[in-house]
Amino acid sequence: MAKANKSVKTAGKAASVKFGKTLPKGKPLLRAIKGGKNGGKPAPAKSPMSKSAAIPPAQSKTAMMKAMTPKPAPAVADDVPVIALNLDPAKLSPAMVAYFKKCQDKLGFVPNVLVAYAFDMAKLETFVALYNDIMLGNSGLSKLEREMIAVAVSSQNRCYYCLAAHAAAVRQFSGNPLLGEHLVMNYRVARLNKRQRAMLDFAVKLTASPGSVEEGDRERLRRAGFTDRDIWDISSVTGLFNMSNRVASATDMRPNAAYHGQAR
C-alpha cells in the first residue's frame, strides 16, 4: 500500500506541474471543476428544462418556449453615417432652412439626400430646384408615374438609396405595396397597363443602352398615348435618376430608416 500511495502522490504532483504551473498565476484551466461532495468531479450539467416541474402544467409549455426562444440581436443603425465621404456641412441658407423645416413638418424627417448635399449651398439649392421641377412640377405624367420611372431606373442600376426612398413613394401614391415590391424586383412582373409598360420599357432601355434608342421607341410611346412633351418628361425623370443613382452609389448614400416601413 505504501508503494501505491507513493505512486498516487507522484501522479498528483505531475498533474499539478502539467496543469497548474503552466498557466498564469490565478487562472486555473477548468474553472467549472470545483471540490466538494463530488470529490473534485465536475457537477452534472443542469438541463434548461429542470425547473419545468415547479411550473404549473398549464404554464410550463409557455415558460419553456420563452426560455428556448433566442433574443433578437439589437438593430444596427443603417443610415449613419449618411455618406462615406468626410464633407463638412455648410451653413444652411435661409431658403434651405425653410425647406428643411418643411420636410421635417411634412415627412417627419429630412431626407438624407438633402443632408448629403448640404456641404455646398449652391449644389444643394440646384439639386432641390431640379428635383422639384422634374418630379413635382406640371407634367402630363402623374406623380405616381414619375415615381414608377424612378424605381424602375434605380432597380436597373441597383441603387439602394433611391430604391428605398422611391419604392416608399410608389406604395404611398398607388396605395398598393405590392406594386412597389414588383418595381424594385422586376417591373415586368407587375400588373401594368399598356401605357405604364411602354413608359417603363422606354425608361429602362434609355438607362441600359441609351445609344440604341431610336424613332421606333418614341413611336411606341406615342401609340401608348404619350405626347412629345410627355416623352421629354419621361426622358428627364430617367436622366435625373441615372445621375442620382450614380452619385448615391459612389458615396454609399444611406436611405433614412423611416422609408423601409412606410405604406406597408
Side-chain angles (χ1 to χ4, degrees):
M1 285 296 292
K3 188 174 181 180
N5 288 340
K6 185 176 180 182
S7 298
V8 170
K9 287 180 180 179
T10 303
K13 186 175 180 182
S16 69
V17 170
K18 184 176 181 181
F19 296 111
K21 293 185 180 180
T22 57
L23 294 171
K25 187 176 180 182
K27 293 188 178 180
L29 182 65
L30 299 173
R31 291 174 181 270
I33 297 179
K34 297 180 180 179
K37 294 181 180 179
N38 293 323
K41 295 180 181 179
K46 293 184 179 180
S47 167
M49 308 288 189
S50 61
K51 294 186 179 179
S52 63
I55 302 173
Q59 301 176 19
S60 61
K61 188 173 181 181
T62 301
M64 284 184 216
M65 292 303 294
K66 277 187 176 181
M68 294 171 65
T69 303
K71 293 183 179 179
V76 178
D78 184 61
D79 54 358
V80 178
V82 172
I83 57 173
L85 305 181
N86 295 317
L87 300 174
D88 294 330
K91 182 179 179 181
L92 293 177
S93 64
M96 289 299 98
V97 169
Y99 191 71
F100 275 39
K101 184 179 185 305
K102 183 178 180 180
C103 291
Q104 187 68 50
D105 293 343
K106 187 174 180 179
L107 304 175
F109 59 90
V110 176
N112 279 347
V113 65
L114 302 181
V115 177
Y117 270 94
F119 71 95
D120 184 305
M121 283 305 101
K123 293 189 187 321
L124 174 61
E125 292 180 356
T126 299
F127 174 78
V128 168
L130 179 65
Y131 179 90
N132 287 344
D133 177 64
I134 291 176
M135 297 301 289
L136 305 175
N138 292 330
S139 174
L141 306 180
S142 69
K143 290 179 182 177
L144 173 58
E145 287 174 328
R146 284 177 270 187
E147 292 293 349
M148 290 171 68
I149 294 170
V151 177
V153 169
S154 300
S155 176
Q156 184 73 21
N157 292 326
R158 302 181 69 180
C159 175
Y160 176 40
Y161 184 97
C162 294
L163 283 173
H166 295 279
V170 167
R171 295 193 299 268
Q172 289 176 327
F173 283 129
S174 68
N176 181 5
L178 192 58
L179 178 60
E181 299 303 312
H182 283 161
L183 296 184
V184 167
M185 299 295 180
N186 178 1
Y187 77 95
R188 297 172 184 85
V189 304
R191 307 286 187 178
L192 304 175
N193 59 40
K194 290 182 179 179
R195 173 184 168 94
Q196 293 168 335
R197 178 60 188 262
M199 175 184 75
L200 297 185
D201 281 343
F202 182 85
V204 168
K205 182 173 184 178
L206 183 57
T207 297
S209 55
S212 67
V213 173
E214 54 191 2
E215 183 58 29
D217 299 302
R218 291 183 285 274
E219 190 55 38
R220 276 188 282 277
L221 288 176
R222 294 186 186 104
R223 288 200 300 269
F226 292 103
T227 67
D228 281 16
R229 166 60 195 270
D230 295 336
I231 295 172
W232 178 277
D233 290 350
I234 292 169
S235 304
S236 295
V237 176
T238 301
L240 173 65
F241 280 90
N242 272 293
M243 183 274 285
S244 294
N245 291 166
R246 283 156 175 76
V247 173
S249 295
T251 61
D252 190 23
M253 193 180 294
R254 312 301 285 187
N256 302 68
Y259 285 127
H260 301 298
Q262 287 180 339
R264 294 287 185 183

